[in-house]
């Protein structure tokens, strides 16, 4: 695994842990105005992201995952479902952030609240860069 991939995985884990820390703090504070279905989804999916990232962060884990996917093509479907769940996670983070910022939910105010936006921004930037590169490659081939 390349150093760049390892750094990306570490950053992803740190951001996700901070998000999980924030939403768990809201539970601990009994911040009722922040308790929505977004809140629960963010908790569960953040744990999934951390576990899966840790699994692929380990060299042997990454090799094993790739071998299993190559052997069992049905896992491409599972990966597709994971990708859709991740997209839903991104949308949930954005809507949850907007809900908390636009409400009078004082107990939810914290610097960690802004961490909800980082995966959204990274996803949007990645999408724009990927779209641009694909568009540029298409023009060169034409």
């Amino acid at each position: 695994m390349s150093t760049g991939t390892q750094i990306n995985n570490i950053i992803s884990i740190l951001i996700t842990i901070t998000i999980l820390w924030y939403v768990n703090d809201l539970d601990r504070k009994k911040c009722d105005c922040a308790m929505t279905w977004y809140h629960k989804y963010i908790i569960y999916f953040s744990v999934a992201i951390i576990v899966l990232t840790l699994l692929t962060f380990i060299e042997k884990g990454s090799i094993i995952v790739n071998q299993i996917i190559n052997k069992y093509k049905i896992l491409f479907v599972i990966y597709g479902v994971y990708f859709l769940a991740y997209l839903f996670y991104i949308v949930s983070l954005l809507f949850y952030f907007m809900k908390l910022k636009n409400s009078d939910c004082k107990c939810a105010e914290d610097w960690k609240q802004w961490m909800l936006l980082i995966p959204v921004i990274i996803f949007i930037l990645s999408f724009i860069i990927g779209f641009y590169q694909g568009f540029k490659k298409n023009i060169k081939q034409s």
Side-chain angles (χ1 to χ4, degrees), residues 2-14:
S2 71
T3 304
T5 302
Q6 290 175 342
I7 291 170
N8 287 343
N9 284 344
I10 290 169
I11 291 170
S12 174
I13 288 171
L14 291 175

Side-chain angles (χ1 to χ4, degrees), residues 49-105:
I49 289 172
I50 292 167
V51 169
L52 291 172
T53 303
L54 284 173
L55 180 62
T56 58
F57 186 68
I58 302 166
E59 189 71 34
K60 288 183 181 179
S62 182
I63 292 169
I64 291 169
V65 168
N66 287 335
Q67 288 174 345
I68 290 171
I69 288 175
N70 287 334
K71 185 173 181 180
Y72 302 102
K73 300 299 180 190
I74 188 70
L75 291 179
F76 281 115
V77 174
I78 294 171
Y79 182 75
V81 169
Y82 173 77
F83 181 74
L84 290 176
Y86 183 76
L87 287 177
F88 191 70
Y89 175 74
I90 295 296
V91 171
S92 296
L93 289 173
L94 180 61
F95 285 152
Y96 191 56
F97 175 82
M98 290 178 2
K99 179 205 176 303
L100 295 176
K101 286 309 265 182
N102 294 329
S103 70
D104 289 330
C105 192

Side-chain angles (χ1 to χ4, degrees), residues 119-131:
V120 175
I121 293 167
I122 291 170
F123 180 81
I124 290 170
L125 288 174
S126 298
F127 181 79
I128 291 170
I129 291 167
F131 183 78

Side-chain angles (χ1 to χ4, degrees), residues 19-65:
I19 290 170
L20 193 56
W21 177 22
Y22 171 67
V23 291
N24 280 328
D25 275 352
L26 296 176
D27 275 338
R28 232 182 338 276
K29 290 185 211 175
K30 305 271 189 255
C31 185
D32 291 334
C33 54
M35 298 301 130
T36 66
W37 65 269
Y38 294 120
H39 178 85
K40 292 297 179 194
Y41 184 75
I42 290 168
I43 288 173
Y44 296 132
F45 202 75
S46 291
V47 171
I49 289 172
I50 292 167
V51 169
L52 291 172
T53 303
L54 284 173
L55 180 62
T56 58
F57 186 68
I58 302 166
E59 189 71 34
K60 288 183 181 179
S62 182
I63 292 169
I64 291 169
V65 168

